Structure formats: C-alpha cells, structure tokens
Amino acid sequence: MDDSTFKALSRTGTPGRYAAFADLVDLAPAAAFIRDSDGRYLWANHAYAHLYGTVPEQVIGRYIEDLDEPADAEQFRALDQEILGRGTPVRHTLAYRRPDGSAGRAVGHRFPVRENARTCVAGIYVDVTDHLRATVQWQEAEENLQALRDHSGLPCALLSANGRVVEASAAAAELFQVSPHDLVGRRAHTLLAPSPDLARLHARWNGLISRRTRRVETSAVLVDAHGLQRRAQLHLTSIGHSSTGHPSGGHAPVGHAPVGHSTSRARHVWAVVTHQSLAHEAHPALTAAQIRILSLLAEGSSNGDIATSLHLSRQTVDYHLSRLRHLLGAATRPALVARAYVLGILAPRAWPPRSATAAHPLSTV
C-alpha cells in the first residue's frame, strides 16, 4: 500500500479493514505509525508527528534516517527487523531524542501488519518522559521529607484517613516509649488519653478528612506505653484526596464513627508535635474555674485580686488553691504555677496566661 492509498483509506471513509481504526488512532494521545520493511513511513498519527515537532503530512513518505539521529535510526531499524523476523508483537521501552535535544522515553508495542501482500511494521507508544520525570521528582521530595522528618527532632506521624499510623519519626516513637515498628499500624485514638477536649479534636479531624479545612492547630493529651500523660500541641495537615466516601473503612482516630460520604476526602493527615509538657501520671480533670484561677495566679494576681476578678469569696479562692496544690503536687504558689506549665495546663506561648486547651488565642479557658 502506498502512502496516498493509505491516507485516502484512513481519512476519507473509503471501505477498508483499517479505515475506522486509522480515523480513531489518528486523534488518539498515543503515538502510532506504520512503516514498510525499508523504513519508510506509510502512516503516522498526530501524536507521533508531535514527537518530532511536526505534522503527519511531513512524516508520511519519509524514512527513519530523515527524522532520527543516526544512532537512534539504527536502533529503530534493528527493532523493525526483529519484528519482521519474528512475526510476533514485542513490547518494550523506547529511548529517543526529543526535538529540543532532551532525552525521551516511550513505552508501547511494535507488531507486524500485512498490507497488499507486504509485511509492514506498526507501532503504538505512550510517551512516559514527563511521567518518569515527575516520578523522580516525587521520589526526591519523599526522600527530602523523610530526611527532614528524621533530623528535625520533632515527633511527627503520617495518619491514614481512618486514623491508623502509616509512618512515624523516631522522635514520635520515643514520645510514646515504643519502637517505630510498633508505632506503625496503631490506631491514633489508642494514643490519646480521655480528656474533655476529645470531642473538639474529633470535630476538627472530621473537617480535615472531609477537606473543609486543610490545616488545624490544636492540643491533645497523649499517653505513652507506661500510662504517663502529657499535653501536646498538634499541627494537623490533610494531604491527598480520594473520591470515595470511606477509602479504608474503620473508625475515626478518636473512637467515633467515621466521617460521612463526601465527593473528595483526604487520604492522609500529617500530625506534628511542636510543644509538649512533661510526662506525668494522670490527675483529675480541672474545672474551668480552677484553670482560670491558675492563669490569674500565673499573671501575678493575689488571692484577693483573683476573688474580685472571678466574683468569688476569698474563702472560695483559698479552697480552690488548696485543692489545686493537692491535685498537682505543689506546695507553694510558685510551684503551683510551674506545675501548671510543665503539665501543659497553661499554654507555654501565651500572655496573659491562658488554658492550653483554649479554642481561641484570646480566650482564657
């Protein structure tokens, strides 16, 4: 079949075995061609011509050497002869030189076709150069992220949408007094101590997974393998997305039902601990009034000032302070303030002093 016959067959609708196929492939994103045994192009689609920075009309009728460098042309002719000799399709990865001089790579099949009593070589390829380049860049980014994670010294973990630890830094494993191997696979809610702010943490997690929010800064009480607790400042960031309502099933990380169906859900959440209190044994949860008293005490207020600010009697304030010294194991007022900070009851970076669980920076409780 000569080039004019094939072009007429593929573009005019003239009856023929490959006319409809040629019309379809001509506009396909995969690069396709047909060459005769002499290396002359009988047909090429737009995607194939684009690899050479031209159009199909400028490819048809030309020879391999007219388009490719000598070394590439020699390789392509050898592949054609292999197909003609074997008579069976061959799948392989093809390296070539792009018009801009950069290296390209394509993956596809080359196979024999029979036309007008002649055996020709057809090929169809997908250019994977950009995909491979993106893969390399992604791998480099992953390696850089891992190096940053391992050398930053910050406890951090990658959590799945259903709250399971996927990756964890050495600092995170040390925080929970377990090995990194034992930490991976754990449910996040098993690492949290019961506390009044769990409901708020759950709501914020749902916002991340449903992608209503991208980043959250909050706090939680963590519990290690020995049962010791510490309050930690958490930075949560959602990454990736999926189109299914429940990509991996299971329960939310704080032990509640999973998030409802959504058209776009986060697949993972990065959790980073930036501040943490000293490890301590569990103590009874403090009331809002007790925390407010501690914040005023840390500010330097006297018992009388505290009573006036909170509209309490002096005797009530004295009782609360006595109770707090007992709960926190602090014998003096300075020791009580110090314990409130090292146990994570008061926020370490806030002035005036305020609760570490306050929802807003200006809130006092």
Side-chain angles (χ1 to χ4, degrees), residues 197 200 217-220 231-234 274-278 286 290-292 294-296 298-299 336-365:
D197 51 339
R200 186 174 65 193
E217 181 176 355
T218 186
S219 67
R231 180 164 291 281
Q233 195 72 14
L234 298 178
T274 54
H275 294 82
Q276 54 183 288
S277 69
L278 294 181
L286 302 184
Q290 289 172 328
I291 294 176
R292 183 71 179 118
L294 284 173
S295 64
L296 290 171
E299 191 176 338
L336 193 56
V337 171
R339 290 285 286 174
Y341 277 108
V342 300
L343 297 181
I345 299 171
L346 296 181
R349 296 176 295 162
W351 190 266
R354 65 180 179 87
S355 166
T357 62
H360 189 276
L362 300 181
S363 175
T364 57
V365 293

Side-chain angles (χ1 to χ4, degrees), residues 24-362:
L24 174 64
V25 176
D26 192 42
L27 299 177
F33 68 87
I34 297 179
R35 287 195 292 257
D36 63 20
S37 58
D38 294 326
R40 181 170 178 258
Y41 284 96
L42 302 180
W43 176 83
N45 70 350
H46 284 83
Y48 187 85
H50 181 71
L51 296 177
Y52 295 95
T54 186
V55 294
E57 290 76 12
Q58 298 300 317
V59 174
I60 296 172
R62 302 175 73 180
Y63 290 87
I64 298 176
E65 288 78 8
D66 297 331
L67 300 175
D68 294 294
E69 297 293 330
D72 289 339
E74 183 179 356
Q75 175 193 9
F76 298 157
R77 277 192 176 275
L79 288 171
D80 283 0
Q81 293 305 313
E82 179 184 354
I83 298 300
L84 294 172
R86 293 176 52 174
T88 57
V90 172
R91 183 183 186 278
H92 58 87
T93 299
L94 184 67
Y96 69 96
R97 185 66 55 184
R98 283 183 156 187
D100 61 3
S102 62
R105 191 168 293 271
V107 176
H109 287 81
R110 195 171 298 210
F111 48 92
V113 293
R114 190 75 176 168
E115 287 294 338
N116 289 351
R118 291 191 304 171
T119 302
C120 301
V121 176
I124 183 165
Y125 290 87
V126 175
D127 192 309
V128 295
T129 308
D130 294 335
H131 171 73
L132 292 176
R133 184 180 295 117
T135 299
V136 170
Q137 292 174 345
W138 177 81
Q139 290 173 341
E140 291 176 348
E142 282 287 304
E143 292 172 357
N144 292 336
L145 179 61
Q146 183 174 357
L148 178 63
R149 182 194 70 190
D150 292 340
H151 296 289
S152 67
L154 291 175
C156 56
L158 181 67
L159 307 177
S160 65
N162 66 336
R164 193 179 295 276
V165 179
V166 178
E167 299 178 23
S169 67
E174 182 179 357
L175 175 65
F176 291 103
Q177 296 294 296
V178 296
S179 68
H181 176 77
D182 291 333
L183 187 56
V184 172
R186 288 276 299 272
R187 293 279 190 177
H189 73 269
T190 65
L191 305 172
L192 302 176
S195 65
D197 51 339
L198 270 184
R200 186 174 65 193
L201 176 59
H202 174 248
R204 293 188 169 190
W205 175 270
N206 284 353
L208 287 168
I209 298 303
S210 63
R211 300 184 72 83
R212 293 193 301 270
T213 57
R214 179 72 186 277
R215 296 180 180 87
V216 165
E217 181 176 355
T218 186
S219 67
V221 178
L222 310 180
V223 57
D224 65 23
H226 305 298
L228 297 181
Q229 299 182 2
R230 66 180 80 214
R231 180 164 291 281
Q233 195 72 14
L234 298 178
H235 294 259
L236 306 175
T237 304
S238 64
I239 58 174
H241 70 276
S242 64
S243 58
T244 57
H246 300 287
S248 43
H251 300 281
V254 290
H256 294 268
V259 185
H261 288 279
S262 172
T263 56
S264 179
R265 287 167 49 86
R267 289 187 299 170
H268 295 95
V269 171
W270 268 110
V272 180
V273 175
T274 54
H275 294 82
Q276 54 183 288
S277 69
L278 294 181
H280 59 86
E281 293 184 356
H283 57 69
L286 302 184
T287 65
Q290 289 172 328
I291 294 176
R292 183 71 179 118
I293 288 172
L294 284 173
S295 64
L296 290 171
L297 188 64
E299 191 176 338
S301 298
S302 66
N303 289 19
D305 295 333
I306 295 173
T308 300
S309 296
L310 300 183
H311 306 289
L312 299 173
S313 68
R314 177 66 177 269
Q315 291 78 9
T316 300
V317 171
D318 291 341
Y319 167 78
H320 278 305
L321 288 173
S322 175
R323 178 65 178 159
L324 285 168
R325 283 194 292 269
H326 172 73
L327 290 173
L328 303 185
T332 64
R333 293 164 63 91
L336 193 56
V337 171
R339 290 285 286 174
Y341 277 108
V342 300
L343 297 181
I345 299 171
L346 296 181
R349 296 176 295 162
W351 190 266
R354 65 180 179 87
S355 166
T357 62
H360 189 276
L362 300 181

